[in-house]
Amino acid sequence: MTGAVYALTGNLADAEDAVQEAYARAWARWARIQAGGDPAAWVRVVAQRLAVSSWRKARNRLRAHARHGSPAAAAELGPDHVAMVAALQKLPKDQRRVVVLFHLYDLPAEAVAREVGCSEGAVRTRLYRARQALARDLGEAPEPEPEPGGRRAAR
């Protein structure tokens, strides 16, 4: 099967990918394919269609490249960016998730609470603790401790 698709595509890696994907799709539908007749023919047709589809994608990529040129080079990651990512990775998963949703996706606390599946108060607590940990890791001044009654001291 791979040899036939390789002859069709002229690229061994593409042929292997197409045949592997065709067999994976056949496995997921095996009862229906086996009942329908010749499973080898089904796999062969699917592999060929996948190979042609990959040709089309490659051709479209080449056309887009010819029209628009190379994509702009990605900006170098600065030391601040690297330090922030390292500090975020140290946070517990629940804190990191609310920080990303709140600050990077710019979701309100209510939306973050719905997505995470907790109360708004829990979101605010996680944000507070995450900010404290990030401030320590990044060498910045931590947020002031909340006053009794839920208010924070003035800055």
Side-chain angles (χ1 to χ4, degrees):
M1 186 73 64
T2 303
V5 177
Y6 173 56
L8 186 64
T9 63
N11 183 313
L12 183 59
D14 288 345
E16 289 171 340
D17 289 345
V19 171
Q20 182 176 357
E21 179 64 22
Y23 276 113
R25 290 181 184 186
W27 180 257
R29 301 167 179 85
W30 183 249
R32 191 173 49 195
I33 292 169
Q34 192 175 23
D38 185 10
W42 188 94
V43 171
R44 186 174 48 254
V45 169
V46 170
Q48 290 172 359
R49 288 180 180 168
L50 288 168
V52 169
S53 176
S54 71
W55 285 347
R56 287 184 184 132
K57 288 177 186 174
R59 184 184 66 212
N60 290 339
R61 277 193 301 271
L62 288 173
R63 285 182 180 167
H65 180 72
R67 272 193 309 266
H68 305 293
S70 301
E76 290 286 324
L77 297 179
D80 291 343
H81 181 87
V82 173
M84 177 60 81
V85 170
L88 281 168
Q89 289 175 339
K90 291 180 185 176
L91 292 176
K93 183 180 174 185
D94 60 337
Q95 290 178 14
R96 185 172 53 240
R97 188 169 180 207
V98 296
V99 166
V100 168
L101 291 171
F102 187 80
H103 289 290
L104 297 181
Y105 283 101
D106 204 25
L107 294 177
E110 178 184 339
V112 174
R114 274 194 315 271
E115 188 161 331
V116 174
C118 65
S119 68
E120 271 188 74
V123 167
R124 295 191 189 288
T125 299
R126 290 175 188 176
L127 281 171
Y128 177 78
R129 290 178 181 163
R131 289 177 187 141
Q132 293 289 73
L134 289 171
R136 278 191 309 274
D137 286 346
L138 297 173
E140 298 174 1
E143 291 183 18
E145 289 292 323
E147 293 178 0
R151 293 187 175 159
R152 294 208 170 110
R155 293 184 194 210

